[in-house]
Amino acid sequence: MTFPQVGRAHGAVRPSPVFLLVVLIAVAGGALAWDSAEWESWQAKLGVFIMVVAGWIVSVCLHEFAHAYVAWRAGDRDVEVRGYLTLNPLKYSHPLLSIGLPVVFIALGGFALPGGAVYVHSHNFSPRTQRILSGAGPAVNAVLAILLLVLIRVFGESAEYSNMPFWFGLSFLAFLQITATVLNLIPVPGTDGYGILEPSLSYQTRRSMDQIKPYGVLLLVAVLFFVPQVNQAFFNGIYALFTLSGVPEWWSVNGSILTRFWS
C-alpha cells in the first residue's frame, strides 16, 4: 500500500483541546489519589474514580485513533475530514454509546465495554491492510497494559506501600486494558478480532455475518454477563494474564472497589 509523505502525516494529526482536557483530568485524578494517605478515604476514592474513568476515555481515543491513522495512511481521507485524527472522543461515533455507556459499565461492574467506533472505507484496502487496520486498536490497549504494569512493577512495588490508592487505581486501569484487548480480539462479528479474520472468509460468509455485526458486541457482552460459566472463564483468563506481570491480583481488585466509591 502507498503511504502519504511523513510531513503531511504530522500536519494531519492534531490532538484536540477536548482530548488534552481529558488527559489533564486523568492526571488531576491521579494527583488526588497520590496525595491520599488513607486508601479508604473519600479523597482516595474520588481521585481513583477520576483517574480510571478519564484514563479509560484516553485509551478509547488512542484505540480509535490507531484505527483511523492506519486507514489514513492507506489512503482514506475521510478519517481526517471526520476529525478522527484529532483524538477528540466526541468524534468517535455516538458520545453516549461510545463513551458514556462504557464508563457506566466500568463504574458499575468494572467491565471494559468496547468504546467508540470510526467509520473507514476498509473495503478499498488489501486483505493485509484490513488486518493491520483491525489489529491496530487492540494493539494499543495491549501496549498500554504493558506500560502500566511495568510502571507499577518498577515503581509501585518499591514504594513500600505508600501512595497505595494511586497504585491500586493504576492497576485497575491496566486490568481494563487487558480486558479490552482480549474482548476486542474475540472473533465475533463487530469486534476487531472478527475484522482480522474477515478478509479470509468467503464472500457468502461475510455477507451472512454482516447481518450480525450491529448486534455482535451486544450479544457477546450479554453472554459474558448472564452465563456464569463463560463469565468466570473469561475473567479467570484476564486475571491470569494480569498476574503474569508480577503485580498482585488484589491490587486491581482494590482499584475496582475504589472506582466504585459509592459501594
Side-chain angles (χ1 to χ4, degrees), residues 8-30:
R8 178 74 177 89
H10 290 166
V13 179
R14 299 181 301 276
S16 72
V18 176
F19 174 76
L20 297 177
L21 177 61
V22 176
V23 172
L24 183 61
I25 292 172
V27 171

Side-chain angles (χ1 to χ4, degrees), residues 42-201:
W42 274 102
Q43 180 180 344
K45 294 176 180 178
L46 181 60
V48 169
F49 175 83
I50 293 172
M51 178 177 67
V52 169
V53 171
W56 171 250
I57 295 174
V58 169
S59 73
V60 170
C61 294
L62 294 174
H63 176 114
E64 298 305 330
F65 170 82
H67 288 310
Y69 187 72
V70 171
W72 187 84
R73 295 277 295 189
D76 186 349
R77 290 295 170 269
D78 281 353
V79 298
E80 183 177 0
V81 175
R82 293 175 184 270
Y84 294 159
L85 299 181
T86 65
L87 292 103
N88 185 344
L90 301 180
K91 297 293 184 179
Y92 299 136
S93 190
H94 193 285
L96 177 61
L97 298 179
S98 302
I99 304 297
L101 190 59
V103 166
V104 170
F105 269 72
I106 290 172
L108 293 180
F111 193 90
L113 187 71
V118 295
Y119 299 104
V120 299
H121 300 298
S122 59
H123 57 277
N124 294 332
F125 304 147
S126 68
R128 177 177 177 272
T129 302
Q130 290 181 44
R131 294 189 183 96
I132 295 173
L133 172 65
S134 296
V140 166
N141 292 115
V143 169
L144 289 174
I146 292 170
L147 291 176
L148 288 172
L149 288 170
V150 169
L151 180 66
I152 295 163
R153 184 68 188 274
V154 173
F155 297 104
E157 293 193 346
S158 62
E160 297 182 353
Y161 288 89
S162 59
N163 310 109
M164 291 313 295
F166 174 83
W167 297 115
F168 289 159
L170 216 60
S171 298
F172 181 50
L173 187 56
F175 171 84
L176 292 176
Q177 300 306 321
I178 297 173
T179 305
T181 302
V182 175
L183 189 63
N184 274 294
L185 288 177
I186 296 175
V188 171
T191 67
D192 293 325
Y194 177 78
I196 296 172
L197 178 65
E198 188 175 22
S200 302
L201 302 177

